[in-house]
Structures are given as C-alpha cells and as structure tokens.
Amino acid sequence: MKLQPPLTHCHVCLATIPYAPGGDPVECRCGVMARALVYPAIFRLRSESAGETIQTEGEAACFAHEDKRAVAACDSCGRFVCALCRIEWGSRVLCPACVNAAEKRTDLLVRSRTMYDTMALITAIGSLIIFTLSLFAAPVAIYLAIRAFKAPRSLVPRTMVRAWFALGLGLVEVGGWVWLLVFLVMKARS
Amino acid sequence: MPQARSEYKRLPGGRSRLFRRDRLYLGPDHVLLVRSLSFSEEYRRFYYSDIQALVLQERPMGNRRLADWVAIGVAVAAIVALFVTGHPVWGALLSVVAVAYAWVAVRREDCKAWVQTAVGTAELPSLCRVRSARKAIALIDDRARVAQTPLPPEELSRALETPPPLPFQVAVSPPSPPALPVAAEALRRPSRLYVTGFLTLLALGAVKMYTALAAARSFPWALPIGCLVFLALTIVPLLRQGVKNIRGSRVVAVLTSIVITGSIGTYALSWATSENSRNAQDANTRKIYAMLETAAPLHVGLAVVLLVLAIWGLLAFLMAEEPSTGGSGAPLTLFGSDRL
C-alpha cells in the first residue's frame, strides 16, 4: 500500500510531491509546504476466507475478503462487504466490525442527528419578523423545544441554551397573543 | 432523553460556511468529523487503528497578503475621503465592508489536510488554517501512534517512495492531446481588456490628481465613463464564473471594489450632471457646483482611490501565475486566477 491520490499531489499546482519520511516538511515547486505522517496500518494485510470470488477485473472487493465480490457498503463506516460479511440491521446494512462495536456503544452507529433546538430557535425568532406568523409559529417552536429536550442530542458537547431560549420566546409570544385576545374581549365588553 | 457527559474533545480548527460548519473531535478510539448543517449534524469516524496516513499541505500566502494590505489601504483611503468630504453614511457603509474584509483576510484558509484509511482518502475540512491544523494533527498523531504497533522507519518510508501518477497525467503523454482552442488559451492569460481598463483608470487618477493639485478643470465626462468601465470589469467576472464559484474571501473583496467604484461613479455622475446644469438659472445648483469645485480633499481623495485601485489591479495581474500543469481555464480577474 502507498499514499493514494490526491494526497500524493500538490493541491495547488498538481505536481507530484516527494514526501520526506518521518513527517518532515518538503517544499513543492509552487511554494506549498507539505508533509505526510504514515502509520503502520498502511501495511496491514487483509484476511482471506472462502466465498464468492471476483469474476472480472475492476469489480469492488470486500474489505475483509480481498478476492470476494462486494455486494454492499456498510452504512456506518463505508467499507465494502461481501455476501458473507453483510449484516442486515433493521433497514441498514452493516459490516461485522461495526456490529461488534455497536454491542458496546450504540452511539457508534449514529451517522446523523436532527437538531430540534436549532429548528425551535429559528422558528421562534423567524416569527418575530412577521408578528402575525407567531400565532402559529410560537406553538410550533414550543413543541420543537420540548422535543429537543426529549430527542437524542448531539454526540459532541452542545448546550441546551437554544432550546431554553426558544421555549422562553415561544411562551412569551403565546402569552402576548393571549393578552391581546383578553384585551380585545375586555375592550369589546366595555 | 438525558445525555451522558460527552466523550469527545474538540480539536483546534473549524470551517464555517453559510449553512454548513465542519468541526473535528477527538474520541476515545476515533476521530469524529462533524458537519453541522442547518438543522442536523452528520458524523464520520476515522478510527486511530485504521488511519494509514495524515497529509498536510500549507499554501504560501505572500501574494495574497499583499493584495489584502492594498485592499484594506484602498478601503481606509476611501473611508477617510468620504468622511472628510461630508459623506458619513457612505463612509460608515464602507467601513463595515472593510472590517468584514479584514476579518475574512485574517481568517483566510491557507492549508488542506487529508486522512487516508483502508476505505479511502477523506479531506478534513476543518483543518484549513495552518496553526490550528498543526495542533490538531499533532494530537491525532499521538493517538494514532499509541493505537498502532510501531514499525521501523525504513518500512514506513517505503510508502512514500514513488507516489502513483494522477490518472489524467498518464493520459497526457501518448497520444498527445489535441491543441487547445485559441479561446481557451486566451482565457488562461490576463485579458488585455482588463489591463487596458486599469491603465485607463490609472490615467484618470493622474488627471484627477493634477486637477486637484493644480486647481485646473478636468474632463467632467471622463470620470463617470471610467468608473462605469471599471464597474463592468468587476461585474463581468462575477457573471461569467457565478458567485458560487468565487471563494468567500474574494466575494468580500469584489463587493468592496463595487462599493468603492459605485460610490465614485454615483458622485461622478452627479458631478457631470451639475456641470451640464451649471448655466442653469437655479441658484442652488450653482451653489452646489461651486462647493464641489472648491472641495480639494474630495478631489485628492478620489484621485488617491483611483490610483490605488489601478495599481492594485495591475499588481494583481502581474503577480497572477497560472500553474503549468492542469488549469481550470478560469479567466484571470481583478483578484487573479480563481483556481484555488
């Protein structure tokens, strides 16, 4: 195994870069300073086992079985898997390594999360631009904020300030409408 | 759902776009690339034991820094000229643009980083500035070395010996590719139209400076026409390449230029109009014209702006260098080639 394009070439002038071993920087002819850190994993050999072999050159091969035809890609890590390695996980296809990892930590299979707190905040603030919209948007913002507290959160550190702010703003907007309604009713009666 | 304490530690660096933000986090056994979209986050993991190589390419910034200083100088000169001549609103607007440009120039991307695993190679978009990229790669490097059994340095250097050529470079030698059309060749060279435009601007600035210093009358039609030509030279590249294809840092520079030129053009047009109506019976028109004609700082300021803009444009063309291999065919504009 060696470095693969585009790592082997300068991203500015496309010239081939003669990287120095040990991660020392080298200068490209265009002035770009480049360095490559290489790890032992680059020489790792893949295991072999029986299975459906590749018939024609250029076919995608299984990550774990180099001579086996790939039938899918792992939804979690992107590795190609053959029929032997393919594991159906609900509506997703996983490789054995990801399933093993998932037994210990389910968050390792998460590829994306919806940020309800941001949705709530945008809804609450956006409705302020045209205030009449807040009659409908404020309850939606409150719902989204509550959902943000219940839904799985971001994998990385993230505060709930947005959700709290959206909840507060939504409640204020709803309160404003209630007050307006009461005021109009009282005025009509008087 | 209550959330346990996050096991991820944020790495230095980050890249923000209008509706997209990329960040890198250090996990217990992997690096997590987080792409925050408007209402969601996408995750990609690179396990320390799977990392085959980390590559960092740092771009030289000499020419760009000079262009930044010239651009900021132009903006400051224009702001001073506008405030001195009693146009505080335009000056305030231009100040905002200049501050935005300075902010973008300071935070400009100047490197690229990639990670190679057995699955393939992936760019690490959050590592786009040298200082933070070096710190982040050092942290990832420590974890990756711990996670993998060390090999002798000779073994590792074998992976760097002969990098494979790019597919399109292989195809270039036999058979030789057909010659590029003349139009495509012309696109890679600085357009003579642009150089002529900047030379015109230079001449206009010189005339204006002479007019201001010698208290002589200038050609009232020359300045508006010159400004309109320059404005067109700035807008045409925008239309040809599309705003999306121009890097964010350059959009601000283009907008700065448009604001400066537009301000000058607006003033120049009104000046020409007042010149035409000079013989009118209206006393106020005559009064305004007399005031404009005697405002020396205004004329000096305008002349400075025109001269600096012209020198900036000419310098940009002189310093613009297209790589000998590859090339996107993008025309060279006021801010050099838009390849990067």
Side-chain angles (χ1 to χ4, degrees), chain A residues 4-17:
Chain A
Q4 300 164 2
L7 281 61
T8 50
H9 296 78
C10 173
H11 74 280
V12 174
C13 69
L14 303 181
T16 304
I17 294 183

Side-chain angles (χ1 to χ4, degrees), chain B residues 237-252:
Chain B
L238 277 175
L239 296 177
R240 285 181 68 177
Q241 298 179 32
V243 179
K244 281 185 181 177
N245 295 331
I246 295 181
R247 293 168 62 83
S249 53
R250 290 181 186 175
V251 169
V252 180

Side-chain angles (χ1 to χ4, degrees), chain A residues 4 11-13 33 35 37 39-41 43-44 79 105 107 110-113 115 149-150 154, chain B residues 1 3 6-7 39 41 43 45 49-50 52-54 56-58 116 118 141 148-149 155 325 339:
Chain A
Q4 300 164 2
H11 74 280
V12 174
C13 69
M33 296 296 290
R35 64 190 183 118
L37 300 167
Y39 302 97
F43 295 109
R44 188 184 298 158
R79 291 170 178 166
R105 291 159 49 201
D107 60 346
V110 174
R111 284 201 310 167
S112 68
R113 286 262 165 92
M115 299 293 109
F149 286 113
K150 291 186 174 180
S154 170
Chain B
M1 179 185 287
Q3 188 185 29
S6 176
E7 57 191 359
F39 301 125
E41 283 183 350
Y43 308 112
R45 297 168 181 81
S49 55
D50 287 346
Q52 295 182 343
L54 286 167
L56 179 67
Q57 294 186 1
E58 302 168 7
Q116 177 176 315
D141 181 49
Q148 299 185 32
T149 315
E155 284 284 312
T325 56
R339 263 196 92 253

Side-chain angles (χ1 to χ4, degrees), chain B residues 219-303:
Chain B
F219 309 102
W221 49 266
L223 195 58
I225 290 175
C227 287
L228 287 175
V229 167
F230 187 73
L231 200 59
L233 288 171
T234 316
I235 290 173
V236 165
L238 277 175
L239 296 177
R240 285 181 68 177
Q241 298 179 32
V243 179
K244 281 185 181 177
N245 295 331
I246 295 181
R247 293 168 62 83
S249 53
R250 290 181 186 175
V251 169
V252 180
V254 170
L255 291 178
T256 310
S257 169
I258 290 173
V259 167
I260 293 170
T261 321
S263 307
I264 299 168
T266 308
Y267 165 69
L269 281 170
S270 63
W271 190 17
T273 311
S274 67
E275 170 73 6
N276 290 332
S277 60
R278 186 180 163 203
N279 297 323
Q281 298 300 316
D282 187 8
N284 286 331
T285 308
R286 287 201 302 275
K287 197 174 171 183
I288 290 169
Y289 180 75
M291 190 186 71
L292 287 174
E293 205 169 38
T294 52
L298 173 65
H299 300 305
V300 174
L302 281 174

Side-chain angles (χ1 to χ4, degrees), chain B:
Chain B
M1 179 185 287
Q3 188 185 29
R5 189 179 171 81
S6 176
E7 57 191 359
Y8 293 103
K9 181 187 166 191
R10 193 182 151 191
L11 284 169
R15 189 174 73 172
S16 296
R17 293 282 185 265
L18 190 57
F19 296 111
R20 200 181 75 193
R21 197 176 58 181
D22 296 299
R23 297 277 185 276
L24 215 52
Y25 290 83
L26 215 54
D29 56 357
H30 62 271
V31 181
L32 185 71
L33 175 63
V34 181
R35 171 161 291 179
S36 304
L37 304 170
S38 301
F39 301 125
S40 65
E41 283 183 350
E42 291 177 357
Y43 308 112
R44 192 166 177 189
R45 297 168 181 81
F46 305 102
Y47 290 89
Y48 300 131
S49 55
D50 287 346
I51 293 177
Q52 295 182 343
L54 286 167
V55 169
L56 179 67
Q57 294 186 1
E58 302 168 7
R59 204 159 46 205
M61 297 294 288
N63 294 353
R64 289 167 195 282
R65 293 288 183 214
L66 178 62
D68 289 339
W69 284 116
V70 175
I72 291 168
V74 168
V76 170
I79 290 163
V80 170
L82 287 167
F83 273 105
V84 167
T85 54
H87 292 75
V89 177
W90 281 108
L93 285 173
L94 197 57
S95 305
V96 172
V97 177
V99 168
Y101 180 80
W103 173 250
V104 170
V106 168
R107 294 177 55 81
R108 183 166 291 173
E109 297 173 10
D110 53 3
C111 74
K112 275 196 173 193
W114 294 269
V115 60
Q116 177 176 315
T117 64
V119 176
T121 60
E123 188 184 343
L124 302 174
S126 65
L127 305 184
C128 55
R129 282 182 283 278
V130 169
R131 282 182 63 183
S132 53
R134 284 180 182 170
K135 286 180 192 170
I137 282 187
L139 289 168
I140 300 171
D141 181 49
D142 290 342
R143 302 285 183 108
R145 286 189 193 285
V146 170
Q148 299 185 32
T149 315
L151 282 178
E154 308 84 54
E155 284 284 312
L156 290 176
S157 64
R158 256 198 315 126
L160 302 170
E161 276 173 1
T162 50
L166 286 174
F168 54 82
Q169 282 187 335
V170 174
V172 159
S173 28
S176 60
L180 284 168
V182 179
E185 286 282 6
L187 276 179
R188 292 186 184 171
R189 291 196 301 270
S191 164
R192 287 183 183 177
L193 180 68
Y194 282 82
V195 178
T196 312
F198 287 120
L199 285 173
T200 311
L201 209 59
L202 196 66
L204 278 172
V207 169
K208 198 80 201 78
M209 184 65 83
Y210 171 75
T211 309
L213 295 179
R217 289 195 56 190
S218 65
F219 309 102
W221 49 266
L223 195 58
I225 290 175
C227 287
L228 287 175
V229 167
F230 187 73
L231 200 59
L233 288 171
T234 316
I235 290 173
V236 165
L238 277 175
L239 296 177
R240 285 181 68 177
Q241 298 179 32
V243 179
K244 281 185 181 177
N245 295 331
I246 295 181
R247 293 168 62 83
S249 53
R250 290 181 186 175
V251 169
V252 180
V254 170
L255 291 178
T256 310
S257 169
I258 290 173
V259 167
I260 293 170
T261 321
S263 307
I264 299 168
T266 308
Y267 165 69
L269 281 170
S270 63
W271 190 17
T273 311
S274 67
E275 170 73 6
N276 290 332
S277 60
R278 186 180 163 203
N279 297 323
Q281 298 300 316
D282 187 8
N284 286 331
T285 308
R286 287 201 302 275
K287 197 174 171 183
I288 290 169
Y289 180 75
M291 190 186 71
L292 287 174
E293 205 169 38
T294 52
L298 173 65
H299 300 305
V300 174
L302 281 174
V304 168
V305 170
L306 286 170
L307 286 171
V308 174
L309 273 176
I311 293 166
W312 177 27
L314 290 172
L315 273 177
F317 278 127
L318 289 174
M319 291 190 303
E321 186 185 351
E322 276 288 275
S324 54
T325 56
S328 62
L332 288 175
T333 67
L334 175 60
F335 309 100
S337 165
D338 223 27
R339 263 196 92 253
L340 295 180

